[in-house]
Amino acid sequence: MKQSLANLWTLLSQSSAATRLAIAAGVFLAIVVAGASMYRSANPHMEFFVGDLDNASFARATKALSQSGVRFETSVGAPYTIWVESGRKYDAHNAIAQAGALDAGTLGIDTSDGSNPWASSIERKQVADARYWQEVERQLNQLHWVRASKVLAKMPTNRVLGRAPHPTVSVMLTTNGMRPTPEQGLNVGNIVRAAFNVPEENITILDQNGHMIFDGQRDDRLDESLAYERNFNDDLTRTVQTLLDDIYGPNLTRVAVRGEWSFVKSETVGNNLQPDKRLISKSTMKSSQPSPVMEGGPAGLEESFLGPTAASGPVQSDPATKTEIDENYNYGTQTTHVVEDTPVLKRLSVSLALDASLQEQASAIADQVKAAVGFSEQRGDFLAAHTTALNGVERDEEGNIVAPAPIEAAPAPNPMMGLLVERGIELAALLIFMFLLARSFKVSKKQLQTAGSPSFSGAPGGIPGAAGKGVDPEMEEDPSAMARMHVEKLLETDPDRVSSLLTRWAMGEDFYAKNQS
């Protein structure tokens, strides 16, 4: 090895300068290529592989790529995006396909004959319900603004008697970024309502951001822009009218405000090229070769091109050197996604009517109205003001406004009269309570005397209320006293029957009937 290196060094030392330069350029190029390869291997260039993945699909895909040895990068937060190393897309697809990471499985109604005959009726019903829900999900996914959907329906328990309640349906939609319009949300609600045959109030539809898309109410959803304009006009008109009434009095001014709005939803996606660039690879190659020797030829030809020579003989110039540099740069990009969904006021129109008595103050009132509504001439707002005799204002024969009569304050109530009324009500309530208490004591005393008399306990036949049986007529009006008399008579005549009745009551009718059988 040492002898070989010595021979190589001898050959290099004996070679020409051009040869040594070419060898040095080759060695330098090899080093550059090796360094670029090492840099690329340490920092591979990533290319887009797959996107729009949920949590489950993302976990399966990254596991398959990790096991296959393909380097990849991922985004943060769902929906996920995966980039893989440039040049290894085929390996990534092969790994995903072999692992079945992105297989969606069977969705919708199963038309194959692969049902389990040993499954219970509840399990078969659950499978059928899930298949039907997935069929509805596939139908919703056909909408261009719906990226994914999840449907869940709660089926109520069937009643033996009466009508069974309707099921409740909840739907979660994953949209493509923009919030759906009221019309789109209503269409989704109609699809779900027709699929499950449920009323609209039993349907709830949300998007991935938690915004309500459909909740079973139609309150101006199709006319959301008109409702917004109407609420704005009513609120601003009411505010300005209240201000004028407080300053100049009621019924002397009339104002109406109308705003024209723009409800255009704009979505902008921009891709900007960053000014900073990053060097990916660089290679330099130098080569040299001697110029051709010019000898002989017609007389005077050499002098005509090169001029007179100092000495005769062959002429040779310095060797020509050629340098080639190959550099690859990568420019970064930035993608921006802007969604504007804010109504814009385009124009205000104000109508102002003043009573003829305010004609001299019309200009000042118009300025006050402009300040209250936010009048802008640059926006093209318009205000129309005129004076006339307004209705609802009382006038005399000459047309002058008649001031309303002053309102007299009601006299204060007499405190002594109020005290007498209050104490009189309390005294009357006390007398009524004493009367009812005395009457209840009298009735209770009669009942005790009648219950302890021999005619009550020894009535022939034991039937209360019978004529001539020795029963007090007032006892017939007391059900508890009559019941006690029945029980006492039954204990004297048939105690075994009383024992049987008490046993049935204590143990329950079903338990007693089972033991008897």
Side-chain angles (χ1 to χ4, degrees), residues 39 277-283 326-330:
Y39 178 82
K277 61 181 179 180
R278 184 182 64 178
L279 179 64
I280 298 178
S281 64
K282 178 179 180 181
S283 61
D326 186 11
E327 296 180 351
N328 294 328
Y329 292 91
N330 184 17

Side-chain angles (χ1 to χ4, degrees), residues 181-183 186 218-231 263:
T181 62
E183 183 179 3
L186 182 60
R218 295 178 176 266
D219 300 337
D220 295 327
R221 285 180 299 156
L222 290 179
D223 300 329
E224 185 178 5
S225 59
L226 298 179
Y228 185 90
E229 290 184 356
R230 183 171 59 252
N231 294 334
F263 296 91

Side-chain angles (χ1 to χ4, degrees), residues 470-481:
V471 179
D472 194 347
E474 294 185 1
M475 296 297 296
E476 298 180 359
E477 300 179 358
D478 190 357
S480 60

Side-chain angles (χ1 to χ4, degrees), residues 2 30 49 58 180 187-188 211 242 271 308 316 365 383 386-387 396 412 417 427 429 457 480 482 485 490 492-493:
K2 184 177 181 181
F49 177 63
F58 173 74
N187 291 335
V188 174
H211 297 153
T242 303
N271 193 359
Q316 184 174 2
I365 297 176
L383 185 144
H386 64 281
T387 57
D396 55 12
M417 183 61 65
L427 183 61
S457 59
S480 60
M482 296 179 65
M485 188 172 62
L490 190 60
E492 294 177 359
T493 58

Side-chain angles (χ1 to χ4, degrees), residues 79-114:
Y80 295 96
T81 303
I82 299 178
W83 294 268
V84 298
E85 184 180 356
S86 177
R88 301 203 62 183
K89 272 192 173 182
Y90 175 78
D91 298 335
H93 281 291
N94 188 28
I96 294 295
Q98 289 182 354
L102 299 182
D103 293 345
T106 305
L107 297 176
I109 299 175
D110 189 7
T111 57
S112 62
D113 191 14

Side-chain angles (χ1 to χ4, degrees), residues 322-462:
K322 180 180 180 182
T323 304
E324 295 182 0
I325 301 177
D326 186 11
E327 296 180 351
N328 294 328
Y329 292 91
N330 184 17
Y331 289 87
T333 59
Q334 181 181 5
T335 303
T336 58
H337 185 191
V338 180
V339 179
E340 296 182 358
D341 190 9
T342 305
V344 179
L345 181 61
K346 297 173 60 178
R347 185 185 180 189
L348 273 179
S349 300
V350 184
S351 175
L352 178 62
L354 304 176
D355 189 75
S357 60
L358 301 176
Q359 185 173 2
E360 296 180 357
Q361 306 178 28
S363 178
I365 297 176
D367 293 339
Q368 290 178 347
V369 172
K370 288 182 179 181
V373 301
F375 192 87
S376 174
E377 296 181 355
Q378 291 78 7
R379 192 171 51 204
D381 296 349
F382 176 74
L383 185 144
H386 64 281
T387 57
T388 184
L390 298 181
N391 295 327
V393 181
E394 186 177 359
R395 305 175 188 275
D396 55 12
E397 297 179 355
E398 299 179 356
N400 299 323
I401 298 178
V402 177
I407 300 176
E408 297 181 359
N414 190 354
M416 184 60 66
M417 183 61 65
L419 181 62
L420 291 177
V421 171
E422 182 179 357
R423 294 295 184 266
I425 294 175
E426 294 177 356
L427 183 61
L430 179 61
L431 293 176
I432 294 174
F433 174 75
M434 296 298 295
F435 173 76
L436 294 177
L437 183 62
R439 190 163 184 255
S440 63
F441 283 156
K442 182 178 179 181
V443 173
S444 300
K445 184 177 180 181
K446 288 183 178 180
Q447 291 177 353
L448 292 175
Q449 292 176 356
T450 306
S453 62
S455 60
F456 177 80
S457 59

Side-chain angles (χ1 to χ4, degrees), residues 96-132:
I96 294 295
Q98 289 182 354
L102 299 182
D103 293 345
T106 305
L107 297 176
I109 299 175
D110 189 7
T111 57
S112 62
D113 191 14
S115 59
N116 184 10
W118 307 108
S120 63
S121 60
I122 298 178
E123 293 175 345
R124 290 195 297 269
K125 186 177 184 303
Q126 291 175 348
V127 172
D129 292 343
R131 292 293 187 187
Y132 190 77

